[in-house]
């Protein structure tokens, strides 16, 4: 049986496995004991964390109680209840975790009784504060019974923690001893098995080195191209004899396969070269299409002209590398084209030009100059003789022009056509978005922000003022005796008054103030970062400026225009929607009306 290499290895393997089983059994027992020790140590650590969590929550609850009594802030009362619940929950978990420790159970029971006493002492001031009796609550806190109960809690917790740490230290010591036992077993048994395995390895290596050497030499020569070599030597075991026979059969088949493979390889190389060229061309096109798609998505998602210009300046150099340039767009009055985006370092790019100065715009198609005297240069191009201008068209309308330093080849012209289509679509979309936004937030008569925008802006400014603890005021104002202008001079006169008043409000209030038409002859001004006292002084200047305005409608003098103002300041107790603040300002406006009109009324807030 030992003439077979498999039987030799199997016998030696059984001996090694038996030795390993003995060692593993010993180490497994040591590991089990060590794991038990580690588990107990980790459990003690968890108990200590839970005990600390209990005491920390109790202290935090005590701090929240005092904060509520001192500051009257209901957030402290909420925090007190939350932390008190946290402390009781942590205590219950501590009790559950120490059920197996009678001495700790007794201590925790005593701590729980003390915790309940402290809870009874600390909750009474909070309840009194919620009922509005903060003086009584403060007096009860100052008596110090709650603090004495907290000191008692801390002393009891210290005893419990010290006892748990002693228990943890004891299990750490036990675990160390078990680790040392396991290590000694590994240090002794491991080397013995290693020595035995080494002897076994020497015997196995000795038995297979020669046949492996013969096979390795044959395979090496086969890899070097000697397909006609065959193994004739005796191999010493049945397994290697079978391997030698298999090698000889493989070499015979391989000789025929190599000859066929060489013919196929030459054909494949030719096909591969052709596919490589096609693949590279297709990949370049796909990359550009993907890049243009990414550019289009970003342009359609922009929310401002600056963002759109940034996207264009980033992506155009990637689509058309090595071609500096600029994108021009028509101004609102379509009298000039102004640069909205630049990339690279274009030469001779000015701040704008009229449409007649660009041949591409005049012809409605591409216009390029390849050198001096080659074609008519555009009047807006300076200090260069080679350039390309491409008009941006959408629905038959020219909306801009793309100017590039250099000439474009066939592939670049393909990219250009797709590029200009995407840019033109994005620019039209951007313009439509701006027009729609203006229509939704502006009053068509005065050009001021409308009531819808005012409500959204007021909620946003209140949130900012609350976060930063900065003042915020609102003015409600309207034109005195406005009905007289409509009745005496007609509605055109009323519109004239409203527009004139709106111009004065925008001119006299700060740039940071938000001037809105609330409705009819009423206006609202949101003034962030301003106290009521400062705003009253500014409002008085505005009121006087309005009274000095002389208005005419259809060659008729409309007479004196005056306004009444109500100034209100936002306070933390007000709602954050702005409803209360607007109501307060409206009430002050009507107070100004009752006092005779043409005046400013405010309730000043003490700082």
């Amino acid at each position: 049986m030992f003439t077979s290499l498999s039987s030799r290895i199997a016998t030696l393997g059984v001996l090694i496995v038996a030795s390993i089983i003995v060692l593993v059994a010993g180490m497994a027992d040591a590991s089990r004991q060590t794991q038990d020790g580690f588990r107990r140590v980790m459990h003690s650590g968890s108990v200590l964390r839970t005990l600390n969590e209990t005491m920390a929550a109790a202290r935090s609850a005590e701090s929240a109680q005092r904060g509520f009594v001192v500051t009257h802030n209901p957030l402290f009362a909420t925090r007190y209840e939350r932390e008190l619940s946290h402390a009781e929950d942590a205590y219950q978990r501590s009790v559950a975790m120490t059920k197996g420790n009678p001495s700790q159970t007794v201590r925790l029971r005593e701590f729980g009784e003390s915790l309940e006493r402290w809870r009874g002492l600390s909750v009474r001031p909070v309840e009194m504060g919620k009922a509005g009796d903060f003086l009584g609550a403060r007096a009860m806190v100052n008596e110090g019974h709650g603090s004495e109960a907290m000191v008692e809690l801390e002393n009891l917790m210290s005893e419990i923690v010290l006892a748990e740490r002693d228990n943890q230290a004891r299990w750490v010591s036990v675990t160390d001893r078990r680790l040392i036992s396991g290590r000694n077993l590994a240090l002794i048994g491991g080397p013995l098995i290693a020595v035995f395995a080494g002897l076994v390895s020497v015997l196995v290596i000795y038995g297979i080195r020669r046949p492996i050497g013969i096979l390795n030499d044959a395979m090496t020569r086969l890899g070097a191209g000697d397909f006609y070599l065959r193994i004739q030597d005796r191999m010493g075991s049945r397994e290697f004899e079978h391997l030698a026979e298999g090698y000889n059969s493989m070499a015979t088949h391989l000789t025929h396969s190599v000859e066929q493979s060489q013919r196929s390889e030459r054909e494949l190389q030719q096909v591969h070269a052709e596919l490589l060229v096609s693949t590279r061309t297709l990949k370049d096109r796909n990359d550009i299409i993907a890049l243009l798609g990414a550019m289009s998505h970003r342009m359609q998602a922009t929310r401002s002209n600056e963002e759109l210009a940034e996207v264009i300046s980033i992506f155009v150099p990637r689509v058309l590398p090595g071609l500096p340039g600029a994108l021009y767009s028509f101004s609102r009055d379509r009298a000039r084209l102004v640069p909205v985006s630049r990339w690279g370092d274009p030469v001779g790019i000015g701040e704008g030009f009229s449409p007649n100065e660009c041949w591409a715009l005049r012809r409605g198609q591409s216009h390029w100059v390849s050198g001096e005297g080659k074609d008519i240069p555009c009047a807006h191009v300076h200090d260069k003789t080679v350039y390309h201008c491409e008009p941006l068209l959408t629905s038959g309308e020219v909306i801009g022009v793309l100017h590039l330093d250099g000439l474009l080849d066939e592939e670049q012209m393909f990219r250009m056509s797709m590029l200009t289509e995407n840019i033109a679509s994005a620019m039209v979309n951007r313009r439509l978005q701006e027009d729609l936004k203006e229509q939704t937030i502006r009053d068509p008569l005065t050009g001021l922000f409308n009531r819808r925008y005012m409500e959204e802006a007021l909620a946003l400014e209140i949130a900012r003022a609350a976060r930063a603890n900065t003042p915020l005021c609102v003015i409600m104002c309207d034109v005195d005796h406005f009905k007289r202008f409509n009745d005496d001079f007609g509605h055109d006169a009323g519109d004239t008054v409203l527009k004139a008043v709106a111009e004065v409000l925008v001119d006299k209030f700060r740039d940071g103030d938000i001037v809105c038409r609330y409705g009819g002859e009423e206006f609202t001004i949101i003034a962030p970062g301003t106290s009521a006292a400062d705003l009253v002084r500014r409002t008085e200047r505005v009121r006087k400026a309005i009274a000095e305005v002389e208005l005419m409608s259809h060659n008729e003098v409309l007479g004196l225009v005056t306004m009444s103002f109500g100034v209100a300041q936002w306070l933390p107790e007000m709602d954050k929607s702005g409803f209360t603040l607007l109501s307060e300002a409206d009430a002050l406006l009507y107070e100004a009306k009752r006092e005779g009109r043409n005046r400013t009324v405010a309730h000043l807030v003490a700082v």
Side-chain angles (χ1 to χ4, degrees):
M1 63 178 286
F2 291 106
T3 57
S4 169
L5 182 62
S6 300
S7 60
R8 301 173 199 166
I9 294 175
T11 302
L12 296 175
V14 168
L15 295 175
I16 294 175
V17 170
S19 302
I20 293 175
I21 289 174
V22 173
L23 178 62
V24 168
M27 293 184 68
D29 182 65
S31 175
R32 179 187 58 77
Q33 296 181 23
T34 302
Q35 287 178 352
D36 180 65
F38 275 127
R39 181 182 58 79
R40 293 179 182 271
V41 171
M42 295 299 292
H43 178 74
S44 290
S46 298
V47 172
L48 288 171
R49 285 194 297 273
T50 307
L51 293 173
N52 289 333
E53 183 180 345
T54 303
M55 203 61 224
R59 293 191 188 100
S60 181
E62 183 183 39
S63 298
Q65 176 222 49
R66 292 178 180 173
F68 176 58
V69 171
V70 172
T71 65
H72 307 172
N73 189 335
L75 294 178
F76 282 107
T78 302
R79 177 184 166 194
Y80 165 80
E81 294 170 353
R82 184 176 65 251
E83 294 298 334
L84 182 61
S85 174
H86 187 187
E88 292 174 344
D89 179 67
Y91 166 73
Q92 293 300 330
R93 285 189 278 116
S94 301
V95 171
M97 295 171 69
T98 56
K99 282 186 177 179
N101 191 334
S103 60
Q104 287 292 67
T105 300
V106 173
R107 294 187 186 95
L108 280 171
R109 185 182 302 116
E110 184 179 353
F111 178 83
E113 294 170 355
S114 181
L115 179 64
E116 186 62 29
R117 287 195 298 274
W118 171 79
R119 180 184 183 279
L121 290 171
S122 65
V123 75
R124 181 58 181 161
V126 174
E127 293 174 347
M128 293 173 69
K130 288 182 177 179
D133 186 11
F134 283 99
L135 289 177
R138 183 177 295 181
M140 180 171 287
V141 171
N142 291 337
E143 288 177 0
H145 296 307
S147 298
E148 293 173 358
M150 177 57 69
V151 172
E152 181 183 353
L153 277 178
E154 291 176 341
N155 292 336
L156 289 172
M157 180 57 71
S158 297
E159 294 178 6
I160 297 171
V161 168
L162 287 175
E164 191 62 37
R165 286 178 176 168
D166 289 341
N167 184 49
Q168 187 182 48
R170 179 172 60 83
W171 279 109
V172 168
S173 177
V174 171
T175 303
D176 285 342
R177 291 195 299 272
R178 290 173 176 174
L179 283 172
I180 292 172
S181 299
R183 182 191 63 187
N184 292 337
L185 180 62
L187 290 176
I188 295 173
L192 288 176
I193 293 178
V195 169
F196 182 65
L199 294 174
V200 171
S201 299
V202 169
L203 293 175
V204 172
I205 291 171
Y206 181 79
I208 64 176
R209 176 179 295 174
R210 176 177 171 275
I212 287 293
I214 295 172
L215 287 169
N216 184 60
D217 179 66
M219 295 296 292
T220 300
R221 292 174 64 180
L222 179 65
D226 188 359
F227 302 111
Y228 300 98
L229 175 67
R230 302 292 183 269
I231 296 176
Q232 305 295 335
D233 301 272
R234 299 284 298 176
M235 303 301 288
S237 66
R238 290 196 301 270
E239 291 84 357
F240 281 107
E241 291 289 346
H242 293 321
L243 285 174
E245 293 172 1
Y247 169 81
N248 291 336
S249 177
M250 177 196 67
T252 300
H253 290 290
L254 186 60
T255 301
H256 299 294
S257 298
V258 167
E259 295 174 353
Q260 180 64 32
S261 176
Q262 289 173 346
R263 289 192 299 269
S264 300
E265 184 179 357
R266 289 191 294 269
E267 297 173 357
L268 287 174
Q269 286 177 348
Q270 182 179 356
V271 174
H272 175 71
E274 296 173 356
L275 287 175
L276 193 60
V277 173
S278 301
T279 301
R280 188 178 296 110
T281 301
L282 183 59
K283 182 180 181 303
D284 290 343
R285 285 288 178 94
N286 287 337
D287 290 344
I288 289 300
I289 292 173
L291 185 61
L292 289 170
M295 177 183 178
S296 178
H297 284 306
R298 286 161 176 78
M299 289 192 298
Q300 297 300 330
T302 57
R303 292 295 178 266
S304 66
N305 291 329
E306 291 75 13
E307 287 184 353
L308 180 61
E310 183 179 7
V311 171
I312 292 171
S313 65
I314 290 173
F315 278 87
V316 173
R318 297 173 63 187
V319 177
L320 297 172
L323 290 172
L327 174 68
Y328 292 87
S329 174
F330 275 104
S331 59
R332 281 287 181 179
D333 58 5
R334 295 188 66 83
R336 290 180 60 80
L337 286 104
V338 293
V340 296
S341 181
R342 301 182 184 184
W343 54 92
D345 189 15
V347 178
I349 297 298
E351 293 304 318
F353 56 89
S354 68
N356 289 331
E357 294 183 62
C358 181
W359 279 94
L361 295 178
R362 292 164 66 176
R363 299 169 59 206
Q365 62 185 37
S366 303
H367 182 78
W368 63 87
V369 177
S370 59
E372 188 174 356
K374 297 292 186 180
D375 206 333
I376 303 174
C378 297
H380 67 88
V381 178
H382 309 287
D383 303 326
K384 55 186 173 183
T385 57
V386 178
Y387 70 91
H388 183 109
C389 285
E390 186 73 21
L392 273 67
L393 303 172
T394 178
S395 300
E397 178 189 5
V398 179
I399 62 171
V401 63
L402 188 66
H403 177 86
L404 298 169
D405 285 355
L407 297 179
L408 283 68
D409 57 25
E410 182 179 353
E411 176 64 22
Q412 289 173 325
M413 287 297 294
F414 165 76
R415 299 182 181 186
M416 169 71 78
S417 63
M418 300 182 66
L419 181 66
T420 53
E421 182 179 345
N422 286 342
I423 293 176
S425 175
M427 291 175 67
V428 170
N429 183 60
R430 176 81 252 127
R431 185 174 297 174
L432 289 174
Q433 288 178 357
E434 290 178 348
D435 293 341
L436 288 174
K437 182 178 180 182
E438 285 295 314
Q439 293 173 13
T440 59
I441 68 174
R442 292 285 183 180
D443 172 51
L445 175 64
T446 62
L448 301 179
F449 292 114
N450 58 24
R451 181 171 178 174
R452 173 185 174 186
Y453 179 83
M454 180 274 296
E455 291 173 348
E456 295 177 355
L458 180 57
L460 178 61
E461 292 300 335
I462 288 176
R464 289 175 178 169
R467 286 197 305 270
N469 195 24
T470 56
L472 171 67
C473 291
V474 163
I475 301 172
M476 289 292 287
C477 57
D478 69 1
V479 180
D480 297 330
H481 301 296
F482 179 75
K483 187 173 182 297
R484 174 178 64 84
F485 295 103
N486 286 329
D487 293 344
D488 296 348
F489 303 99
H491 289 284
D492 288 344
D495 291 347
T496 300
V497 172
L498 292 176
K499 289 190 284 187
V501 167
E503 290 178 2
V504 175
L505 293 176
V506 172
D507 180 60
K508 297 300 182 181
F509 279 107
R510 300 178 312 176
D511 291 340
D513 297 337
I514 304 171
V515 182
C516 311
R517 184 182 180 190
Y518 191 78
E521 69 273 21
E522 284 191 285
F523 299 86
T524 304
I525 298 93
I526 303 172
T530 305
S531 65
D534 292 336
L535 188 57
V536 165
R537 289 190 288 271
R538 290 213 311 273
T539 304
E540 278 295 288
R541 291 195 293 269
V542 174
R543 183 184 64 80
K544 294 175 182 178
I546 291 173
E548 296 173 356
V549 174
E550 297 181 359
L551 296 178
M552 294 186 65
S553 178
H554 300 294
N555 296 322
E556 290 185 285
V557 177
L558 300 182
L560 182 67
V561 179
T562 63
M563 291 188 72
S564 301
F565 297 82
V567 180
Q569 183 168 342
W570 184 79
L571 299 174
E573 56 265 24
M574 294 182 178
D575 64 90
K576 292 189 176 181
S577 68
F579 177 79
T580 306
L581 180 58
L582 289 173
S583 299
E584 177 71 14
D586 197 48
L588 293 171
L589 169 61
Y590 280 101
E591 186 175 335
K593 295 285 189 182
R594 289 193 300 271
E595 293 179 3
R597 295 182 170 82
N598 191 20
R599 65 191 64 238
T600 302
V601 175
H603 288 169
L604 301 182
V605 178
V607 179

